[in-house]
mmCIF file of all heavy atoms in Angstrom:
data_model
loop_
_atom_site.group_PDB
_atom_site.id
_atom_site.type_symbol
_atom_site.label_atom_id
_atom_site.label_comp_id
_atom_site.label_asym_id
_atom_site.label_seq_id
_atom_site.Cartn_x
_atom_site.Cartn_y
_atom_site.Cartn_z
ATOM 1 N N ASN A 19 -54.508 -3.857 6.278
ATOM 2 C CA ASN A 19 -53.812 -2.590 6.049
ATOM 3 C C ASN A 19 -54.105 -1.608 7.172
ATOM 4 O O ASN A 19 -55.265 -1.358 7.490
ATOM 5 C CB ASN A 19 -54.272 -1.964 4.731
ATOM 6 C CG ASN A 19 -54.159 -2.931 3.571
ATOM 7 O OD1 ASN A 19 -53.249 -3.748 3.508
ATOM 8 N ND2 ASN A 19 -55.104 -2.850 2.653
ATOM 9 N N GLY A 24 -50.068 10.515 14.247
ATOM 10 C CA GLY A 24 -49.878 11.222 15.515
ATOM 11 C C GLY A 24 -48.703 12.171 15.436
ATOM 12 O O GLY A 24 -47.966 12.158 14.444
ATOM 13 N N THR A 32 -41.270 3.254 15.674
ATOM 14 C CA THR A 32 -40.840 2.183 16.582
ATOM 15 C C THR A 32 -41.960 1.163 16.759
ATOM 16 O O THR A 32 -41.720 -0.040 16.780
ATOM 17 C CB THR A 32 -40.466 2.781 17.960
ATOM 18 O OG1 THR A 32 -39.538 3.839 17.773
ATOM 19 C CG2 THR A 32 -39.867 1.726 18.873
ATOM 20 N N PHE A 33 -43.184 1.633 16.845
ATOM 21 C CA PHE A 33 -44.330 0.734 16.980
ATOM 22 C C PHE A 33 -44.449 -0.188 15.769
ATOM 23 O O PHE A 33 -44.709 -1.385 15.905
ATOM 24 C CB PHE A 33 -45.626 1.532 17.159
ATOM 25 C CG PHE A 33 -46.858 0.679 17.123
ATOM 26 C CD1 PHE A 33 -47.302 0.023 18.254
ATOM 27 C CD2 PHE A 33 -47.568 0.492 15.936
ATOM 28 C CE1 PHE A 33 -48.417 -0.800 18.218
ATOM 29 C CE2 PHE A 33 -48.689 -0.323 15.892
ATOM 30 C CZ PHE A 33 -49.112 -0.969 17.035
ATOM 31 N N GLY A 39 -42.287 -7.163 14.376
ATOM 32 C CA GLY A 39 -41.285 -8.042 14.970
ATOM 33 C C GLY A 39 -39.964 -8.004 14.228
ATOM 34 O O GLY A 39 -39.157 -8.919 14.331
ATOM 35 N N GLU A 57 -34.816 6.836 11.922
ATOM 36 C CA GLU A 57 -34.851 8.012 11.068
ATOM 37 C C GLU A 57 -36.202 8.705 11.144
ATOM 38 O O GLU A 57 -37.238 8.058 11.186
ATOM 39 C CB GLU A 57 -34.595 7.565 9.637
ATOM 40 C CG GLU A 57 -34.151 8.688 8.766
ATOM 41 C CD GLU A 57 -33.361 8.155 7.577
ATOM 42 O OE1 GLU A 57 -32.943 6.998 7.610
ATOM 43 O OE2 GLU A 57 -33.198 8.916 6.629
ATOM 44 N N PHE A 123 -55.901 -6.948 -8.938
ATOM 45 C CA PHE A 123 -56.032 -5.631 -8.300
ATOM 46 C C PHE A 123 -55.707 -5.707 -6.805
ATOM 47 O O PHE A 123 -56.185 -6.583 -6.095
ATOM 48 C CB PHE A 123 -57.460 -5.111 -8.486
ATOM 49 C CG PHE A 123 -57.725 -3.836 -7.736
ATOM 50 C CD1 PHE A 123 -57.212 -2.627 -8.199
ATOM 51 C CD2 PHE A 123 -58.458 -3.854 -6.555
ATOM 52 C CE1 PHE A 123 -57.445 -1.451 -7.507
ATOM 53 C CE2 PHE A 123 -58.690 -2.676 -5.858
ATOM 54 C CZ PHE A 123 -58.182 -1.481 -6.339
ATOM 55 N N ASN A 126 -55.983 -1.708 -1.379
ATOM 56 C CA ASN A 126 -55.148 -1.137 -0.319
ATOM 57 C C ASN A 126 -55.923 -0.254 0.652
ATOM 58 O O ASN A 126 -55.335 0.614 1.312
ATOM 59 C CB ASN A 126 -53.995 -0.324 -0.932
ATOM 60 C CG ASN A 126 -52.982 -1.227 -1.598
ATOM 61 O OD1 ASN A 126 -52.689 -2.313 -1.110
ATOM 62 N ND2 ASN A 126 -52.462 -0.794 -2.734
ATOM 63 N N GLU A 144 -56.418 20.048 21.293
ATOM 64 C CA GLU A 144 -57.400 20.472 20.305
ATOM 65 C C GLU A 144 -57.163 19.782 18.957
ATOM 66 O O GLU A 144 -58.108 19.359 18.297
ATOM 67 C CB GLU A 144 -57.280 21.982 20.137
ATOM 68 C CG GLU A 144 -58.630 22.646 19.995
ATOM 69 C CD GLU A 144 -58.460 24.145 20.059
ATOM 70 O OE1 GLU A 144 -58.169 24.644 21.170
ATOM 71 O OE2 GLU A 144 -58.586 24.776 19.000
ATOM 72 N N PRO A 161 -57.801 4.754 19.283
ATOM 73 C CA PRO A 161 -56.906 5.683 19.963
ATOM 74 C C PRO A 161 -55.928 4.932 20.859
ATOM 75 O O PRO A 161 -56.289 3.929 21.478
ATOM 76 C CB PRO A 161 -57.864 6.552 20.790
ATOM 77 C CG PRO A 161 -59.084 5.731 20.982
ATOM 78 C CD PRO A 161 -59.160 4.754 19.845
ATOM 79 N N GLU A 204 -72.367 -14.895 24.762
ATOM 80 C CA GLU A 204 -71.954 -14.207 25.984
ATOM 81 C C GLU A 204 -70.455 -13.902 26.005
ATOM 82 O O GLU A 204 -70.031 -12.828 26.413
ATOM 83 C CB GLU A 204 -72.293 -15.102 27.183
ATOM 84 C CG GLU A 204 -72.837 -14.353 28.365
ATOM 85 C CD GLU A 204 -73.370 -15.332 29.389
ATOM 86 O OE1 GLU A 204 -74.470 -15.904 29.167
ATOM 87 O OE2 GLU A 204 -72.660 -15.548 30.370
ATOM 88 N N THR A 206 -68.375 -13.456 23.506
ATOM 89 C CA THR A 206 -68.007 -12.363 22.607
ATOM 90 C C THR A 206 -68.374 -11.019 23.219
ATOM 91 O O THR A 206 -67.597 -10.064 23.167
ATOM 92 C CB THR A 206 -68.746 -12.521 21.255
ATOM 93 O OG1 THR A 206 -68.593 -13.873 20.826
ATOM 94 C CG2 THR A 206 -68.217 -11.585 20.217
ATOM 95 N N ARG A 238 -37.928 -2.036 27.150
ATOM 96 C CA ARG A 238 -37.181 -0.788 27.337
ATOM 97 C C ARG A 238 -36.525 -0.829 28.706
ATOM 98 O O ARG A 238 -37.168 -1.146 29.698
ATOM 99 C CB ARG A 238 -38.105 0.425 27.232
ATOM 100 C CG ARG A 238 -38.838 0.534 25.910
ATOM 101 C CD ARG A 238 -39.524 1.874 25.779
ATOM 102 N NE ARG A 238 -38.569 2.923 25.503
ATOM 103 C CZ ARG A 238 -38.148 3.235 24.280
ATOM 104 N NH1 ARG A 238 -38.619 2.584 23.235
ATOM 105 N NH2 ARG A 238 -37.265 4.186 24.110
ATOM 106 N N PHE A 255 -49.890 -3.458 24.634
ATOM 107 C CA PHE A 255 -49.415 -3.769 23.283
ATOM 108 C C PHE A 255 -49.876 -5.148 22.789
ATOM 109 O O PHE A 255 -50.375 -5.287 21.673
ATOM 110 C CB PHE A 255 -47.880 -3.669 23.200
ATOM 111 C CG PHE A 255 -47.348 -4.151 21.882
ATOM 112 C CD1 PHE A 255 -47.359 -3.325 20.768
ATOM 113 C CD2 PHE A 255 -46.875 -5.447 21.736
ATOM 114 C CE1 PHE A 255 -46.905 -3.772 19.542
ATOM 115 C CE2 PHE A 255 -46.416 -5.909 20.507
ATOM 116 C CZ PHE A 255 -46.428 -5.061 19.419
ATOM 117 N N LEU A 267 -59.703 -8.466 13.278
ATOM 118 C CA LEU A 267 -59.277 -8.187 11.906
ATOM 119 C C LEU A 267 -60.466 -8.202 10.941
ATOM 120 O O LEU A 267 -60.691 -7.262 10.179
ATOM 121 C CB LEU A 267 -58.227 -9.233 11.516
ATOM 122 C CG LEU A 267 -57.711 -9.312 10.092
ATOM 123 C CD1 LEU A 267 -56.231 -9.672 10.106
ATOM 124 C CD2 LEU A 267 -58.455 -10.350 9.280
ATOM 125 N N THR A 274 -65.008 -1.429 7.278
ATOM 126 C CA THR A 274 -64.395 -0.592 6.243
ATOM 127 C C THR A 274 -65.162 -0.741 4.933
ATOM 128 O O THR A 274 -65.490 0.250 4.278
ATOM 129 C CB THR A 274 -62.919 -1.007 6.020
ATOM 130 O OG1 THR A 274 -62.228 -0.873 7.266
ATOM 131 C CG2 THR A 274 -62.254 -0.132 4.971
ATOM 132 N N LEU A 293 -73.685 16.679 -10.698
ATOM 133 C CA LEU A 293 -72.942 17.414 -11.709
ATOM 134 C C LEU A 293 -73.534 17.158 -13.095
ATOM 135 O O LEU A 293 -73.718 18.073 -13.893
ATOM 136 C CB LEU A 293 -71.487 16.932 -11.668
ATOM 137 C CG LEU A 293 -70.429 17.941 -12.029
ATOM 138 C CD1 LEU A 293 -70.470 19.122 -11.062
ATOM 139 C CD2 LEU A 293 -69.043 17.283 -11.968
#
Side-chain angles (χ1 to χ4, degrees):
N19 307 325
T32 308
F33 172 84
E57 200 156 345
F123 174 75
N126 290 322
E144 220 171 289
E204 220 170 285
T206 312
R238 301 191 75 86
F255 173 81
L267 173 144
T274 302
L293 211 61

